[in-house]
Structure formats: C-alpha cells, structure tokens
Amino acid sequence: MAICEYLPRALCRFPAISDSYIRQARQVIDEGFKGIVREYGSIIDIVVRPLQLFLNYLERLFTTSPWTVVLIVMLLVVYFGSRSIRITIGTAIGMVLIGVVGLWEDTMTTLAIVTVSTLIAIIIGLPIGILMARSDRIQGVINPILDVMQTMPSFVYLIPVVVIFGIGKVPGLIAVVIYAVPPMIRLTNLGIRLVDKEVLEAADAFGSSPGQKLWNVQMPLALPTIMAGINQTIMMSLAMVVVASMVGVGGLGRNTLQAINNQFFTFGFLNGFALVAIAIIFDRTSQAFGKRLQRHSEVVHG
Amino acid sequence: MASHGIEIKGLYKIFGPRGRDHVEAVKNGLSKAELNERYGHVLGLKDINISMPAGGITVVMGLSGSGKSTLIRHINRLIEPTYGELIYDGVNICGMNERALREFRRHKTAMVFQKFALLPHRTVIENTVYGLDIQGISRSESTKKAKYWIERVGLSGFENHYPNQLSGGMQQRVGLARALTNDADILLMDEAYSALDPLIRVDMQSVLLDLQAELKKTVVFITHDLDEALRLGDKIAILRDGQVVQQGTGQEIVLSPADDYITAFVKEVNRSRVIQAKTVMKPFDGQAEGVRIGATTTLESAAKTMTENGQTKATITDDAGTPIGTLDLQTMIAAMVTPAGSETSKMAAE
Ligand SMILES: Nc1ncnc2c1ncn2[C@@H]1O[C@H](COP(=O)(O)OP(=O)(O)OP(=O)(O)O)[C@@H](O)[C@H]1O
Ligand SMILES: [Mg+2]
C-alpha cells in the first residue's frame, strides 16, 4: 500500500508478537494440557466409562432388536406422549421410509446417541437451572458462561473435547451434551423464576419448606417451560450429532460427512431427510406432551 | 375455640435496605414523606399497637396504601418487622427461628388471599388439602377433611375442577376451604372479599359469620369497605399512612369518629345496622311496655321486630332477660338519621 510508505511500520501492519514466541507459548500450553490429561487419565476414564457402557448398551438395543419391535415401541411412546393419531401415523410413515431407503441401522445409532445426550443434558441442566433460579449470584456467574457457550461455533467444542477425551463415540457424545445443555439450564431457570409470586407467598404462608415449595409449586408450574427446554435440547443434539461425526460418532451424521467428502449428492440428501424426519418426530411429540402438561390452564373461565 | 389473642406492640416497618437505622428518627417524628425524600425508604407501619382478641374478628381497615397488607403479613411473618413485637401464646413471633416459624405457619395460621393465590395445576380438592400435605398428613385423612369443608363453603361437585374453570367467587370459596381445612387458630384474610361482586360478597360474609359462630377462631380480616368492617368486626382498627388512627367496636367508631378522616369514612354508613339498642335506650323506669329486645340488638333488627309486632315501644333486656331500659320509635329514628355526635353538639351550641 502506498500510504504505508509515509507511516511508521507499527501503524501500518499490526505489530504481532513474533512467531517464535507464539509457537513457544502454544507448545507450553498444549504440553501442559496434555500433561494434565495424562495425569488425570484414570479419573477421566472413570467418568467416561459409564457413559460408554450406557451408550453402547442403548445402541446395541436399538440396532439389534427387530425393527418391528423398535417401531412398535416407538409408536407407543409417541402416541402416549402426544395422544395424537396424526403425529403417530406421521411417525410410522417417516420411519418406514427411512427403513426402505436402507438407513434404519444408522438412524438407530443416531437415535441412541440423541437419547443418551438428551438424558444427560436433563440430568445436568435441571439442577443447575434450579440453583440459578434460587440465587441471583449463581445466575450472575452462569449466565455469561451460557452466553459464551451459545455463541461459540459448534466446531470449536470439538477441540478441547478431542484433546481431553480423544477420538470416539463418547467424546462425541460429550461434545453434543455440552452443546445441547444451555437451553435446558436457561429454561429451567426461567420457568422457576416466572412462577407467580402470589402462589409462592401462599405456599410460604402454609409453612412449606424450600423443598416442598420446589416440588409442589415451582417445578410443576415451571414444567411447561422446562419441556420447551427439553425440546430445544433435543433439536440441538440432533444438529450437533452431525458435527460430532467428525470425531467419530457414527450414524446418520457420519453418512452425511462422507457424502460431503465424496460428493454423494443423493446419499447425502437421504441422510439429511432422515435427520429431519427424526427431528420432526421428536419436536412434535415433545411439544404435544408439553401442551398436555398445561391441561389445567386450557379451560379459561371468562 | 382459639384461646390466644394476638398482641401487636410498638410495631414499625420501614421498607428499604437500612430500615433499622431510621426507626429512631421516625420515632422522633420524621414523616413518611420526609423519610422517602431524604433517605429513599418507605414507611410501611408506624408504632402499631393492637390487641386482637382470641376467638373474635378483628377488622383492619384503611384506604389503598395505608399498610393493611403489610400489617397482616407481619402476623405470619411473610414480611419481617423492622422493630417491635407480635405476641401469640406468650411467644414473640418476630423472634422465632426458621423452624419454629414454619411450625407456627403450619399449625397456627391459615391465610386467605385477595387474589386467591390458588395453585393452578391442582384441582379444587388438591388445593384444599395443600396445608395438610405440607404437614405430612396422609391423603386419605386430608381428603376427608377437605371434602367436609368444600361442602361447607358450597362447592360440592366441583372437587375435580381446576381453579380457572371456576368463577372468582367460587375460587375464593376454595381459598376459604383451603384455609379452614388447615384448622388453625388464626385465620388471616387479606381483602379476601374485595374482588367479589356485592351479592356474592354478602353471601360470603354470611358464610364467614356462620362458621365463626361455631369455630370461634381468631380472625384478622382486612377490608377497605366500612360496611363490611362493621358487619364482621368485633373490633375495628383503622389505618392511615401506616398508623392506627382509631380502634374500637364498630359502634364506637360510628358514634365518635376520632378525626375528619374517619368522619368522612362513616358518613355514608347505614347507622341502624351498627348502633345497638342499649346505646340509645332510656333507663328502665319500671314499666315494661311493648316487645322485649336484647340489649345488643342493632336498631335495624329492633325496628323490624317492633314493626312485625305492631308496637312503637320496646323494653330492652340484658343477657339474663332482666329489663334494663326502654326504647321508642321516635328515639330510634333520631339515632339513625343524626350524623356523627360532634355535629349535633355543634348545632346545639349555636
Ligand atoms: N416491598 C415493599 N417495598 C417498598 N415499599 C413497600 C413494599 N410493600 C409495600 N410498600 C409500601 O407500603 C405501603 C403500604 O402498602 P400495603 O400493600 O400494605 O397497602 P394496603 O393497605 O394493603 O393497600 P391496598 O388496599 O392497595 O392493598 C405503600 O406505601 C407501599 O408503597
Ligand atoms: Mg393490600
């Protein structure tokens, strides 16, 4: 650039720290990180092990059971969750189409990992959300963390996960959970905070202990909001399962990744549609279930 | 029957982070407006001294913002007092620790709320058993009690409805049933009837009076309606800007209002429903004439009895039935239409 000739160098090109320093710093940090991982390898194993067993168990259950059994159980769950014939029939059609194009097994693998990650997200998210609702201080600490987590591109999650846990199904699962847990936490917190002050005062006036207030009043009244959180968590798990295939998660995600790498147009789209079908099934069922939880507020007296 | 009254002694409430620091200044005469302007604190209650009799209905009355809700919420300590004492059964409620307070709320108090505050996800019967749930009483037992009270407040058949399927009046009955099922000594009612239309309101007042005649709880009833206060209150305390301006029986307040504020309040009141026969009777002169009427009968019902019997005179008797005075229609009508005592004396002076 011509202007640069008249300017001191530092004002023209950004004065970055010299490459060698950065290389050194990177090395130190990376080594330290790996050192920690090596050091605590056994602890990490203890954490990872049950996840792996659970995930493997569920995956085997889903993929090795006869498809008829899986489909019937699934339709029963959908029907009793949503109490809607339309959603149930839609589910049946969707799953049969998936089977016909030969994606049944991959779909089962994906279903297993989404189920496990959603369960874990609920188990982690619910108590954190409750804690946040109880204390403004905790909310003040956790909220910015959630903000960062939700704005960070999903690929970035994979880096620390891979460094700490390596490549494989479980690291993928962990990445999915981390990505999917924020809405669960946020909406649990929100749901509890939105509970009517008057009703809480009544609960206090009758001498409820904090625990009784939580289980008798706050949780039931927050449940519809919490259900919305679970719904979002499921949707985000489904999205992240595709990304997590990069670190070794199988199923529809891996197929999609392959399709991208090899330019398999039709195969890629079939997998995409299968993912959409599952997403719609989960979404409709959990929403219908959430609505049913609000039955008490349906008939509003005028 | 409730055996302990509630004694409120020198109670102050100053809203704000450093309320405690301003008590002295308020005691020394700092006004509500000054406190707010200079220190940004709100004076909620100032030097409240009320003795609420056991087994009676104490009505706390006042305009909006006068501190009624603040006062009643001190009795079960939904609001922490800044200074002062509330004594029940020899114990200072303000001094209770968390555990004792919870036990006190569970077993000694029950509250009915202005906006009902029912649990929307629970049916009528589930709402009614709430207090007993909290006490850890089994559903089989609590349901029995709840059914009884639901019937008493006239909601049989609605046990399995959700609150938002009911009208306001019905919801308030659920609130009342919920409080009564708790079977607590103290019944706190914060503008429990203000949201109801006039007919249902009178109806609910009757429900309360009927129940009270048999249960004899210590009731604290908040209202901004003088007619309601006079109908229900064994004792009435009138609040203004967080201070008690007058307390006494309904008759005392109607006959000798303490200041212009209360005079304005009592102007529109139906005096014949408040003034008792013994207040205006002439001393007994040995001649028992006309119908016999109890000393504490209101002029309205006395007039009704006399008219029904075609009499213009009545003999007033005490509880034992001994004549203690006489009353004629002339005197009664004069008492009903004469405005507050102060004005009569003023006219006489002129
Ligand atoms: N939490 C609070 N913080 C600050 N000021 C408060 C608070 N609660 C009440 N106040 C003030 O205390 C005063 C009395 O309020 P309170 O709710 O007791 O009135 P009230 O007599 O019950 O009125 P209403 O008839 O409208 O219910 C008001 O001036 C109000 O602004
Ligand atoms: Mg109020």
PDB file of all heavy atoms in Angstrom, chain B residues 217-242:
ATOM      1  N   LYS B 217     -62.580 -18.790  65.812  1.00  0.00           N
ATOM      2  CA  LYS B 217     -61.157 -18.608  65.554  1.00  0.00           C
ATOM      3  C   LYS B 217     -60.783 -17.146  65.805  1.00  0.00           C
ATOM      4  O   LYS B 217     -61.653 -16.291  65.902  1.00  0.00           O
ATOM      5  CB  LYS B 217     -60.849 -18.963  64.096  1.00  0.00           C
ATOM      6  CG  LYS B 217     -61.016 -20.436  63.798  1.00  0.00           C
ATOM      7  CD  LYS B 217     -60.652 -20.738  62.378  1.00  0.00           C
ATOM      8  CE  LYS B 217     -60.851 -22.194  62.037  1.00  0.00           C
ATOM      9  NZ  LYS B 217     -60.017 -23.119  62.818  1.00  0.00           N
ATOM     10  N   THR B 218     -59.487 -16.913  65.899  1.00  0.00           N
ATOM     11  CA  THR B 218     -59.034 -15.531  65.959  1.00  0.00           C
ATOM     12  C   THR B 218     -58.841 -15.071  64.519  1.00  0.00           C
ATOM     13  O   THR B 218     -57.919 -15.493  63.844  1.00  0.00           O
ATOM     14  CB  THR B 218     -57.710 -15.441  66.725  1.00  0.00           C
ATOM     15  OG1 THR B 218     -57.913 -15.999  68.023  1.00  0.00           O
ATOM     16  CG2 THR B 218     -57.245 -13.997  66.847  1.00  0.00           C
ATOM     17  N   VAL B 219     -59.783 -14.247  64.063  1.00  0.00           N
ATOM     18  CA  VAL B 219     -59.769 -13.871  62.656  1.00  0.00           C
ATOM     19  C   VAL B 219     -59.231 -12.448  62.505  1.00  0.00           C
ATOM     20  O   VAL B 219     -59.613 -11.561  63.259  1.00  0.00           O
ATOM     21  CB  VAL B 219     -61.187 -13.952  62.044  1.00  0.00           C
ATOM     22  CG1 VAL B 219     -61.152 -13.575  60.572  1.00  0.00           C
ATOM     23  CG2 VAL B 219     -61.773 -15.334  62.237  1.00  0.00           C
ATOM     24  N   VAL B 220     -58.327 -12.267  61.572  1.00  0.00           N
ATOM     25  CA  VAL B 220     -57.903 -10.919  61.206  1.00  0.00           C
ATOM     26  C   VAL B 220     -58.383 -10.689  59.784  1.00  0.00           C
ATOM     27  O   VAL B 220     -58.010 -11.427  58.873  1.00  0.00           O
ATOM     28  CB  VAL B 220     -56.372 -10.764  61.279  1.00  0.00           C
ATOM     29  CG1 VAL B 220     -55.974  -9.319  60.974  1.00  0.00           C
ATOM     30  CG2 VAL B 220     -55.873 -11.177  62.640  1.00  0.00           C
ATOM     31  N   PHE B 221     -59.251  -9.711  59.629  1.00  0.00           N
ATOM     32  CA  PHE B 221     -59.899  -9.514  58.340  1.00  0.00           C
ATOM     33  C   PHE B 221     -59.573  -8.124  57.831  1.00  0.00           C
ATOM     34  O   PHE B 221     -59.760  -7.137  58.520  1.00  0.00           O
ATOM     35  CB  PHE B 221     -61.415  -9.663  58.517  1.00  0.00           C
ATOM     36  CG  PHE B 221     -62.172  -9.768  57.225  1.00  0.00           C
ATOM     37  CD1 PHE B 221     -62.588 -10.996  56.748  1.00  0.00           C
ATOM     38  CD2 PHE B 221     -62.463  -8.623  56.482  1.00  0.00           C
ATOM     39  CE1 PHE B 221     -63.289 -11.096  55.552  1.00  0.00           C
ATOM     40  CE2 PHE B 221     -63.149  -8.725  55.282  1.00  0.00           C
ATOM     41  CZ  PHE B 221     -63.562  -9.956  54.823  1.00  0.00           C
ATOM     42  N   ILE B 222     -59.056  -8.070  56.603  1.00  0.00           N
ATOM     43  CA  ILE B 222     -58.690  -6.779  56.027  1.00  0.00           C
ATOM     44  C   ILE B 222     -59.732  -6.356  55.017  1.00  0.00           C
ATOM     45  O   ILE B 222     -60.218  -7.195  54.243  1.00  0.00           O
ATOM     46  CB  ILE B 222     -57.340  -6.915  55.304  1.00  0.00           C
ATOM     47  CG1 ILE B 222     -56.298  -7.381  56.292  1.00  0.00           C
ATOM     48  CG2 ILE B 222     -56.980  -5.642  54.609  1.00  0.00           C
ATOM     49  CD1 ILE B 222     -55.327  -6.376  56.673  1.00  0.00           C
ATOM     50  N   THR B 223     -60.098  -5.102  55.040  1.00  0.00           N
ATOM     51  CA  THR B 223     -61.032  -4.621  54.037  1.00  0.00           C
ATOM     52  C   THR B 223     -60.850  -3.117  53.880  1.00  0.00           C
ATOM     53  O   THR B 223     -60.273  -2.458  54.747  1.00  0.00           O
ATOM     54  CB  THR B 223     -62.486  -4.924  54.442  1.00  0.00           C
ATOM     55  OG1 THR B 223     -63.357  -4.433  53.441  1.00  0.00           O
ATOM     56  CG2 THR B 223     -62.828  -4.285  55.766  1.00  0.00           C
ATOM     57  N   HIS B 224     -61.320  -2.578  52.750  1.00  0.00           N
ATOM     58  CA  HIS B 224     -61.373  -1.120  52.704  1.00  0.00           C
ATOM     59  C   HIS B 224     -62.821  -0.653  52.649  1.00  0.00           C
ATOM     60  O   HIS B 224     -63.113   0.481  52.321  1.00  0.00           O
ATOM     61  CB  HIS B 224     -60.544  -0.564  51.535  1.00  0.00           C
ATOM     62  CG  HIS B 224     -60.879  -1.167  50.219  1.00  0.00           C
ATOM     63  ND1 HIS B 224     -59.930  -1.737  49.419  1.00  0.00           N
ATOM     64  CD2 HIS B 224     -62.045  -1.314  49.580  1.00  0.00           C
ATOM     65  CE1 HIS B 224     -60.508  -2.213  48.335  1.00  0.00           C
ATOM     66  NE2 HIS B 224     -61.788  -1.958  48.401  1.00  0.00           N
ATOM     67  N   ASP B 225     -63.716  -1.579  52.999  1.00  0.00           N
ATOM     68  CA  ASP B 225     -65.140  -1.280  52.938  1.00  0.00           C
ATOM     69  C   ASP B 225     -65.702  -1.227  54.357  1.00  0.00           C
ATOM     70  O   ASP B 225     -65.684  -2.215  55.084  1.00  0.00           O
ATOM     71  CB  ASP B 225     -65.817  -2.382  52.114  1.00  0.00           C
ATOM     72  CG  ASP B 225     -67.315  -2.212  52.086  1.00  0.00           C
ATOM     73  OD1 ASP B 225     -67.792  -1.128  52.480  1.00  0.00           O
ATOM     74  OD2 ASP B 225     -68.003  -3.165  51.690  1.00  0.00           O
ATOM     75  N   LEU B 226     -66.179  -0.065  54.763  1.00  0.00           N
ATOM     76  CA  LEU B 226     -66.631   0.114  56.143  1.00  0.00           C
ATOM     77  C   LEU B 226     -67.848  -0.756  56.452  1.00  0.00           C
ATOM     78  O   LEU B 226     -67.958  -1.305  57.549  1.00  0.00           O
ATOM     79  CB  LEU B 226     -66.944   1.587  56.410  1.00  0.00           C
ATOM     80  CG  LEU B 226     -67.270   1.895  57.877  1.00  0.00           C
ATOM     81  CD1 LEU B 226     -66.104   1.575  58.775  1.00  0.00           C
ATOM     82  CD2 LEU B 226     -67.691   3.335  58.048  1.00  0.00           C
ATOM     83  N   ASP B 227     -68.767  -0.886  55.488  1.00  0.00           N
ATOM     84  CA  ASP B 227     -69.944  -1.717  55.738  1.00  0.00           C
ATOM     85  C   ASP B 227     -69.537  -3.141  56.089  1.00  0.00           C
ATOM     86  O   ASP B 227     -70.068  -3.747  57.017  1.00  0.00           O
ATOM     87  CB  ASP B 227     -70.873  -1.724  54.511  1.00  0.00           C
ATOM     88  CG  ASP B 227     -71.723  -0.460  54.469  1.00  0.00           C
ATOM     89  OD1 ASP B 227     -72.199  -0.042  55.543  1.00  0.00           O
ATOM     90  OD2 ASP B 227     -71.878   0.118  53.384  1.00  0.00           O
ATOM     91  N   GLU B 228     -68.559  -3.631  55.315  1.00  0.00           N
ATOM     92  CA  GLU B 228     -68.070  -4.983  55.575  1.00  0.00           C
ATOM     93  C   GLU B 228     -67.410  -5.044  56.953  1.00  0.00           C
ATOM     94  O   GLU B 228     -67.640  -5.967  57.725  1.00  0.00           O
ATOM     95  CB  GLU B 228     -67.059  -5.369  54.489  1.00  0.00           C
ATOM     96  CG  GLU B 228     -66.611  -6.802  54.544  1.00  0.00           C
ATOM     97  CD  GLU B 228     -65.903  -7.223  53.250  1.00  0.00           C
ATOM     98  OE1 GLU B 228     -64.769  -6.769  53.003  1.00  0.00           O
ATOM     99  OE2 GLU B 228     -66.506  -7.970  52.485  1.00  0.00           O
ATOM    100  N   ALA B 229     -66.623  -4.014  57.253  1.00  0.00           N
ATOM    101  CA  ALA B 229     -65.941  -3.966  58.548  1.00  0.00           C
ATOM    102  C   ALA B 229     -66.960  -3.995  59.685  1.00  0.00           C
ATOM    103  O   ALA B 229     -66.813  -4.739  60.650  1.00  0.00           O
ATOM    104  CB  ALA B 229     -65.081  -2.710  58.641  1.00  0.00           C
ATOM    105  N   LEU B 230     -68.016  -3.208  59.538  1.00  0.00           N
ATOM    106  CA  LEU B 230     -68.998  -3.114  60.609  1.00  0.00           C
ATOM    107  C   LEU B 230     -69.788  -4.407  60.749  1.00  0.00           C
ATOM    108  O   LEU B 230     -70.163  -4.803  61.845  1.00  0.00           O
ATOM    109  CB  LEU B 230     -69.955  -1.949  60.338  1.00  0.00           C
ATOM    110  CG  LEU B 230     -69.289  -0.570  60.421  1.00  0.00           C
ATOM    111  CD1 LEU B 230     -70.210   0.510  59.918  1.00  0.00           C
ATOM    112  CD2 LEU B 230     -68.861  -0.283  61.856  1.00  0.00           C
ATOM    113  N   ARG B 231     -70.036  -5.043  59.624  1.00  0.00           N
ATOM    114  CA  ARG B 231     -70.811  -6.278  59.680  1.00  0.00           C
ATOM    115  C   ARG B 231     -70.014  -7.389  60.358  1.00  0.00           C
ATOM    116  O   ARG B 231     -70.550  -8.160  61.144  1.00  0.00           O
ATOM    117  CB  ARG B 231     -71.184  -6.687  58.254  1.00  0.00           C
ATOM    118  CG  ARG B 231     -71.881  -8.011  58.157  1.00  0.00           C
ATOM    119  CD  ARG B 231     -73.009  -8.014  57.141  1.00  0.00           C
ATOM    120  NE  ARG B 231     -73.812  -9.218  57.316  1.00  0.00           N
ATOM    121  CZ  ARG B 231     -73.892 -10.184  56.401  1.00  0.00           C
ATOM    122  NH1 ARG B 231     -73.278 -10.046  55.246  1.00  0.00           N
ATOM    123  NH2 ARG B 231     -74.623 -11.255  56.630  1.00  0.00           N
ATOM    124  N   LEU B 232     -68.725  -7.454  60.054  1.00  0.00           N
ATOM    125  CA  LEU B 232     -67.932  -8.597  60.515  1.00  0.00           C
ATOM    126  C   LEU B 232     -67.192  -8.336  61.823  1.00  0.00           C
ATOM    127  O   LEU B 232     -66.974  -9.248  62.605  1.00  0.00           O
ATOM    128  CB  LEU B 232     -66.897  -8.980  59.447  1.00  0.00           C
ATOM    129  CG  LEU B 232     -67.431  -9.444  58.091  1.00  0.00           C
ATOM    130  CD1 LEU B 232     -66.277  -9.708  57.144  1.00  0.00           C
ATOM    131  CD2 LEU B 232     -68.273 -10.705  58.264  1.00  0.00           C
ATOM    132  N   GLY B 233     -66.781  -7.094  62.045  1.00  0.00           N
ATOM    133  CA  GLY B 233     -65.776  -6.844  63.069  1.00  0.00           C
ATOM    134  C   GLY B 233     -66.293  -6.821  64.490  1.00  0.00           C
ATOM    135  O   GLY B 233     -67.195  -6.066  64.810  1.00  0.00           O
ATOM    136  N   ASP B 234     -65.699  -7.642  65.368  1.00  0.00           N
ATOM    137  CA  ASP B 234     -65.916  -7.463  66.796  1.00  0.00           C
ATOM    138  C   ASP B 234     -65.110  -6.248  67.236  1.00  0.00           C
ATOM    139  O   ASP B 234     -65.444  -5.564  68.181  1.00  0.00           O
ATOM    140  CB  ASP B 234     -65.428  -8.688  67.567  1.00  0.00           C
ATOM    141  CG  ASP B 234     -66.246  -9.915  67.212  1.00  0.00           C
ATOM    142  OD1 ASP B 234     -67.486  -9.785  67.173  1.00  0.00           O
ATOM    143  OD2 ASP B 234     -65.652 -10.971  66.932  1.00  0.00           O
ATOM    144  N   LYS B 235     -64.016  -6.046  66.502  1.00  0.00           N
ATOM    145  CA  LYS B 235     -63.150  -4.922  66.803  1.00  0.00           C
ATOM    146  C   LYS B 235     -62.639  -4.386  65.472  1.00  0.00           C
ATOM    147  O   LYS B 235     -62.369  -5.174  64.564  1.00  0.00           O
ATOM    148  CB  LYS B 235     -61.984  -5.406  67.654  1.00  0.00           C
ATOM    149  CG  LYS B 235     -60.973  -4.342  67.944  1.00  0.00           C
ATOM    150  CD  LYS B 235     -60.018  -4.800  69.012  1.00  0.00           C
ATOM    151  CE  LYS B 235     -59.120  -3.636  69.391  1.00  0.00           C
ATOM    152  NZ  LYS B 235     -58.264  -3.979  70.505  1.00  0.00           N
ATOM    153  N   ILE B 236     -62.526  -3.074  65.376  1.00  0.00           N
ATOM    154  CA  ILE B 236     -62.071  -2.492  64.115  1.00  0.00           C
ATOM    155  C   ILE B 236     -60.895  -1.574  64.385  1.00  0.00           C
ATOM    156  O   ILE B 236     -60.920  -0.792  65.334  1.00  0.00           O
ATOM    157  CB  ILE B 236     -63.216  -1.686  63.447  1.00  0.00           C
ATOM    158  CG1 ILE B 236     -64.400  -2.614  63.139  1.00  0.00           C
ATOM    159  CG2 ILE B 236     -62.732  -1.004  62.174  1.00  0.00           C
ATOM    160  CD1 ILE B 236     -65.619  -1.897  62.624  1.00  0.00           C
ATOM    161  N   ALA B 237     -59.856  -1.695  63.583  1.00  0.00           N
ATOM    162  CA  ALA B 237     -58.733  -0.763  63.678  1.00  0.00           C
ATOM    163  C   ALA B 237     -58.625  -0.058  62.334  1.00  0.00           C
ATOM    164  O   ALA B 237     -58.655  -0.709  61.295  1.00  0.00           O
ATOM    165  CB  ALA B 237     -57.449  -1.505  63.989  1.00  0.00           C
ATOM    166  N   ILE B 238     -58.528   1.251  62.372  1.00  0.00           N
ATOM    167  CA  ILE B 238     -58.442   1.993  61.115  1.00  0.00           C
ATOM    168  C   ILE B 238     -57.028   2.516  60.918  1.00  0.00           C
ATOM    169  O   ILE B 238     -56.466   3.171  61.797  1.00  0.00           O
ATOM    170  CB  ILE B 238     -59.468   3.139  61.091  1.00  0.00           C
ATOM    171  CG1 ILE B 238     -60.868   2.532  61.219  1.00  0.00           C
ATOM    172  CG2 ILE B 238     -59.348   3.940  59.805  1.00  0.00           C
ATOM    173  CD1 ILE B 238     -61.984   3.505  61.116  1.00  0.00           C
ATOM    174  N   LEU B 239     -56.461   2.191  59.772  1.00  0.00           N
ATOM    175  CA  LEU B 239     -55.094   2.583  59.450  1.00  0.00           C
ATOM    176  C   LEU B 239     -55.105   3.759  58.487  1.00  0.00           C
ATOM    177  O   LEU B 239     -55.951   3.859  57.618  1.00  0.00           O
ATOM    178  CB  LEU B 239     -54.356   1.441  58.751  1.00  0.00           C
ATOM    179  CG  LEU B 239     -53.787   0.287  59.556  1.00  0.00           C
ATOM    180  CD1 LEU B 239     -52.986  -0.599  58.632  1.00  0.00           C
ATOM    181  CD2 LEU B 239     -52.930   0.801  60.684  1.00  0.00           C
ATOM    182  N   ARG B 240     -54.098   4.613  58.667  1.00  0.00           N
ATOM    183  CA  ARG B 240     -53.895   5.664  57.691  1.00  0.00           C
ATOM    184  C   ARG B 240     -52.401   5.947  57.615  1.00  0.00           C
ATOM    185  O   ARG B 240     -51.773   6.185  58.650  1.00  0.00           O
ATOM    186  CB  ARG B 240     -54.630   6.914  58.133  1.00  0.00           C
ATOM    187  CG  ARG B 240     -54.451   8.042  57.157  1.00  0.00           C
ATOM    188  CD  ARG B 240     -54.994   9.307  57.783  1.00  0.00           C
ATOM    189  NE  ARG B 240     -55.127  10.343  56.775  1.00  0.00           N
ATOM    190  CZ  ARG B 240     -55.577  11.547  57.040  1.00  0.00           C
ATOM    191  NH1 ARG B 240     -55.965  11.844  58.255  1.00  0.00           N
ATOM    192  NH2 ARG B 240     -55.650  12.440  56.094  1.00  0.00           N
ATOM    193  N   ASP B 241     -51.852   5.892  56.427  1.00  0.00           N
ATOM    194  CA  ASP B 241     -50.414   6.098  56.239  1.00  0.00           C
ATOM    195  C   ASP B 241     -49.583   5.294  57.218  1.00  0.00           C
ATOM    196  O   ASP B 241     -48.608   5.783  57.779  1.00  0.00           O
ATOM    197  CB  ASP B 241     -50.074   7.589  56.410  1.00  0.00           C
ATOM    198  CG  ASP B 241     -50.574   8.386  55.224  1.00  0.00           C
ATOM    199  OD1 ASP B 241     -50.868   7.755  54.182  1.00  0.00           O
ATOM    200  OD2 ASP B 241     -50.687   9.609  55.346  1.00  0.00           O
ATOM    201  N   GLY B 242     -50.000   4.059  57.454  1.00  0.00           N
ATOM    202  CA  GLY B 242     -49.208   3.188  58.310  1.00  0.00           C
ATOM    203  C   GLY B 242     -49.391   3.398  59.797  1.00  0.00           C
ATOM    204  O   GLY B 242     -48.654   2.838  60.595  1.00  0.00           O
TER     205      GLY B 242
END
